[in-house]
């Protein structure tokens, strides 16, 4: 498959480069920067992008396989990537007196940077895409036309190129006087000091598109249907007639994985297990059961482990203690229940690991073996053993969250399922603050259901449901009671806090700005229907400084 390879050196924005390339309809894969570039790794590769890094080329920064300079493929170095290319090819990189961070003006060199014929051969395809379009920023970038003297780029660097490597010329400088865009005069090699993948970088997408579509001449043929075809082919080759076990959480990722497995492999070999910890949302277990049955599941174990979990949580009030007990118990229950299944010895374990689960740490996918989905199965001995034995299937591990949703739609899952808000592994235990009891879980579940149903019923000014406008919404039961009046008497009810945030990935989040009418009516609906709740608050803290969950 035609693709762009992205070498990851640990920058937080490297994942975004992949995102941007895929948005162009080109498949992109992020691999550790120091990966060996074997023939297999280079199969289908049309170009290589070297990403940024918190490290220095003269410090602990990773080296690259020398093959990138021999394979003849187009290269684009971004920040550290540019430093890497410069240092490797005989230029000089040095620390800046003061780190440059944020918006920095980049000024085009006034004289056309191209004085030779050969570079034009290489640089031209870089821009041809844009010559056909109205805006021609990249053409202007290199020719230094007046219409495009400068633009605002986004930088984050402590080092700079001080001497270009032989064969490179400078096309633009930062306002602070350092090379901002360089290219090789004979080879299709480019470097930028700024981060075109960051949305605040003017013309950043054009620049990436110029490289991917212009220089590398990728065909924009990648789409989810194609991804699923390949994933299905791989699954069939790996696990054709073998048993596969998948632990289902009820979330989008594991549900899409289940749908994919059931549509690809013989259903009699697919074993699905869902552990009901007693900390699930209202009606969740029944919904999961119905949905998986509709998808054709033949072996579906719904494990009722409420007593195990609530028993273990009794008396615990500290958030970290609660999380640890749940994580450990999850493993115990999982082992106990898996042992009851009649699985063949060498069965596969499937997981709904996403691409971001693997790269979010900023360590790159090189650490893949150590990075397991931050879910119930963190550090699970079963996952570790299966990974070691090469019996782990992670068919979504190249996808981002919204791509998984699209995959779910193509696999026939309903909008309700694919657009579900995220739900944390420890479930309601982190939303019943302090000690978790069956009674408190029931109160919270009832209130949460009303909140969510109201969000699904109400429309935003844009005529979308509030639920679909919000990234994640839920109720939190506080370990507090307050005085109220119910009828003629005084009531001493629980305080409930509502949380609703917008976000793109959960790493940062903004408070959803409800219309006053909506939040007031939702509050009334809750206190009318759940007598144990006497007061409702709305959490107006963004992340940071708060987190999305309360515990
Ligand atoms: P925080 O609270 O850290 O949450 O801002 C960010 C996102 O992660 C979810 N979350 C979890 N998901 N296991 C999970 O699978 C967990 O232990 C966990 N804790 C938080 C949270 O719901 C939000 O979407």
């Amino acid at each position: 498959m035609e693709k762009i390879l992205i070498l990851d050196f640990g920058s937080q924005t490297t994942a975004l480069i992949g995102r941007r390339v895929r948005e162009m309809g080109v498949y992109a894969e992020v691999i550790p920067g120091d990966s060996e570039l074997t023939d297999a790794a280079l199969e289908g590769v049309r170009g290589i992008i070297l990403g940024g890094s918190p490290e220095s080329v003269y410090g602990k920064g990773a080296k690259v396989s020398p093959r990138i300079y021999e394979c003849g493929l187009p290269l684009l170095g971004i920040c550290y990537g540019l430093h890497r290319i410069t240092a490797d090819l005989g230029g000089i990189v040095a620390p800046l007196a003061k780190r440059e961070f944020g918006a920095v003006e980049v000024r085009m060199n006034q004289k056309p940077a191209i004085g030779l014929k050969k570079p034009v051969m290489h640089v031209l395809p870089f821009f041809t895409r844009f010559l056909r379009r109205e805006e021609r920023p990249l053409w202007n970038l290199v020719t230094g036309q007046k219409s495009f003297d400068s633009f605002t780029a986004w930088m984050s660097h402590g080092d700079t190129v001080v001497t270009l490597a032989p064969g490179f010329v400078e096309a633009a400088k930062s306002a602070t006087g350092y090379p901002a865009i360089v290219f090789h005069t004979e080879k299709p090699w480019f470097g930028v000091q700024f981060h075109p993948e960051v949305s605040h970088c003017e013309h950043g997408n054009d620049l990436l598109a110029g490289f991917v579509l212009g220089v590398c001449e990728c065909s924009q043929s990648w789409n989810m249907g194609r991804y699923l075809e390949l994933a299905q082919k791989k699954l069939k080759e790996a696990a054709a007639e073998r048993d596969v076990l998948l632990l289902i959480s009820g979330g989008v990722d594991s549900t899409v994985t289940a749908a994919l497995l059931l549509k690809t492999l013989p259903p009699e070999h697919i074993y699905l297990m869902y552990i009901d910890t007693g900390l699930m949302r209202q009606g969740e277990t029944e919904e999961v059961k119905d949905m998986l049955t509709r998808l054709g599941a033949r072996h579906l174990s719904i494990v009722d482990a409420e007593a195990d979990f609530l028993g273990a949580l009794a008396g615990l009030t500290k958030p970290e203690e609660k999380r640890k007990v749940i994580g450990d118990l999850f493993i115990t229950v999982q082992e106990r229940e898996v042992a009851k299944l009649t699985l063949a010895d060498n069965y596969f374990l499937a997981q709904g690991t996403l691409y971001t689960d693997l790269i979010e740490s900023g360590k790159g996918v090189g650490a893949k073996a150590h990075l397991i989905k931050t879910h119930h199965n963190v550090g699970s001995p079963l996952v570790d053993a299966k990974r070691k034995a090469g019996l782990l299937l992670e068919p979504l591990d190249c996808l981002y969250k919204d791509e998984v949703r699209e995959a779910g739609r193509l696999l026939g899952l309903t909008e309700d399922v694919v657009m579900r808000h995220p739900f944390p592994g420890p479930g309601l235990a982190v939303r019943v603050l302090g000690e978790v009891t069956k009674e408190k879980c029931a109160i919270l579940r009832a209130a949460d259901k009303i909140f969510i149903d109201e969000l699904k019923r109400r429309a935003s000014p844009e005529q979308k449901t509030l639920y679909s406008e919000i990234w994640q919404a839920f109720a939190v039961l506080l370990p507090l009671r307050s005085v109220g009046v119910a009828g003629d008497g005084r009531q001493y009810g629980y305080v409930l806090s509502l949380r609703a945030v917008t976000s793109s990935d959960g790493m940062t989040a903004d408070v959803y700005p409800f219309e006053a009418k909506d939040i007031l009516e939702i509050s009334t609906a809750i206190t009318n229907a759940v007598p144990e709740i006497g007061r409702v608050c709305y959490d107006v803290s963004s992340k940071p400084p708060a987190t999305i969950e309360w515990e």
Side-chain angles (χ1 to χ4, degrees), residues 82-83 86 91-94 157 159-165 178-179 182 193:
L82 162 64
H83 304 165
T86 303
I92 299 173
V93 175
H157 62 126
D159 293 337
T160 184
V161 171
V162 285
T163 308
L164 299 187
Y178 303 106
V182 305
Q193 178 55 72

Side-chain angles (χ1 to χ4, degrees), residues 323 374-376 422-426 431 471-472 506 543 547-549:
R323 277 180 176 268
T374 41
H375 211 275
H376 312 290
F423 188 60
R431 296 179 180 174
W471 195 74
Q472 190 171 10
K543 173 184 180 178
T547 51
I548 295 177
E549 302 291 343

Side-chain angles (χ1 to χ4, degrees), residues 204-483:
N205 259 346
D206 287 339
L207 191 134
L208 286 174
F211 179 72
V212 172
L213 308 176
V215 179
C216 305
E217 299 183 304
C218 290
S219 65
Q220 291 184 282
S221 56
W222 187 78
N223 59 35
M224 189 48 64
R226 181 95 186 91
Y227 181 88
L228 287 178
E229 267 170 38
L230 289 169
Q232 290 189 298
K233 187 164 164 265
K234 269 201 224 162
L235 279 175
K236 280 184 190 149
E237 280 166 9
E241 293 296 318
R242 306 261 291 273
D243 288 346
V244 179
L245 169 67
L246 170 69
L247 297 162
I248 296 278
S249 68
V252 180
D253 311 343
S254 60
T255 308
V256 173
T257 309
L260 180 61
L261 291 177
L262 288 166
K263 286 213 174 211
T264 310
L265 301 171
E268 62 272 20
H269 283 296
I270 311 294
Y271 290 76
L272 304 174
M273 180 178 283
Y274 169 87
I275 298 176
D276 180 347
T277 56
L279 304 166
M280 320 309 280
R281 287 167 287 192
Q282 185 124 308
E284 190 153 24
T285 302
E286 293 71 26
E287 277 170 32
V288 168
K289 194 170 164 185
D290 286 354
M291 181 178 57
L292 294 174
T293 309
R294 271 203 308 277
L295 285 173
R298 302 266 178 91
H299 308 287
L300 173 59
S301 319
I302 303 276
V303 179
D304 178 1
E306 183 184 34
D308 296 280
F309 281 87
L310 290 184
L313 285 167
L316 300 185
T317 53
K318 292 199 183 112
E320 272 317 304
E321 245 175 7
K322 286 161 66 178
R323 277 180 176 268
K324 169 133 184 37
V325 160
I326 293 168
D328 291 350
L329 186 57
F330 197 86
I331 292 168
T332 312
V333 173
Q334 178 189 304
E335 283 177 349
R336 180 183 79 202
E337 297 300 323
V338 170
K340 292 181 189 166
L341 300 175
T342 51
L343 285 158
D345 277 352
N346 57 353
Y347 73 91
F348 280 91
L349 180 71
Q351 284 213 122
T353 315
L354 301 195
Y355 202 41
T356 32
D357 297 327
L358 298 174
I359 53 183
E360 224 157 48
S361 72
K363 290 183 198 144
V365 283
K368 180 166 172 165
H370 312 291
L371 285 171
I372 299 161
K373 194 169 165 53
T374 41
H375 211 275
H376 312 290
N377 37 13
V378 170
S380 146
L382 177 64
V383 176
D384 291 346
K386 289 293 177 187
R387 198 183 289 279
K388 230 182 234 165
L391 293 171
L392 196 61
L393 301 172
E394 296 177 303
L396 310 182
D397 69 350
C398 292
L399 299 183
Y400 295 88
K401 190 75 167 187
D402 53 339
E403 291 175 331
V404 170
R405 294 197 156 119
E406 204 188 326
R409 286 186 193 106
L410 288 180
L411 290 164
L413 296 177
T414 60
E415 210 51 22
D416 233 24
V417 175
V418 296
M419 290 312 289
R420 275 194 122 184
H421 288 180
F423 188 60
L428 299 185
V430 290
R431 296 179 180 174
V432 168
L433 305 195
E435 189 181 5
V436 181
T437 63
K438 189 168 174 151
E439 185 218 358
K440 285 182 177 174
C441 286
I443 298 170
L444 177 60
R445 217 174 260 131
D448 189 74
K449 166 108 171 85
I450 295 168
F451 183 29
I452 298 301
D453 284 351
E454 288 289 332
L455 296 180
K456 288 184 176 170
R457 195 170 74 68
R458 289 168 186 268
S460 70
E462 284 75 37
Q463 295 309 309
K464 284 164 72 187
T465 66
L466 294 186
Y467 185 82
S468 65
E469 292 244 305
I470 291 168
W471 195 74
Q472 190 171 10
F474 53 90
V476 179
L477 192 70
L478 308 193
L480 285 176
R481 287 176 183 242
S482 80
V483 176

Side-chain angles (χ1 to χ4, degrees), residues 4-11 13-14 16-18 20-21 48-55 57 75-86 154-157 161 180 182 190-198 201 204 207-209 211-212:
I4 293 290
L5 212 53
I6 297 166
L7 301 187
D8 178 12
F9 300 103
S11 161
T13 58
T14 302
L16 270 180
I17 307 174
R20 300 279 175 258
V21 176
I48 302 176
I49 299 179
L50 295 82
S53 174
E55 304 291 345
V57 284
L75 304 177
L76 172 64
I78 294 177
C79 196
Y80 175 88
L82 162 64
H83 304 165
R84 184 74 272 161
I85 293 173
T86 303
W154 195 88
M155 307 243 185
S156 173
H157 62 126
V161 171
V182 305
F190 305 85
V192 289
Q193 178 55 72
F194 49 92
H195 286 267
E197 69 277 20
V198 171
C201 183
L207 191 134
L208 286 174
F211 179 72
V212 172

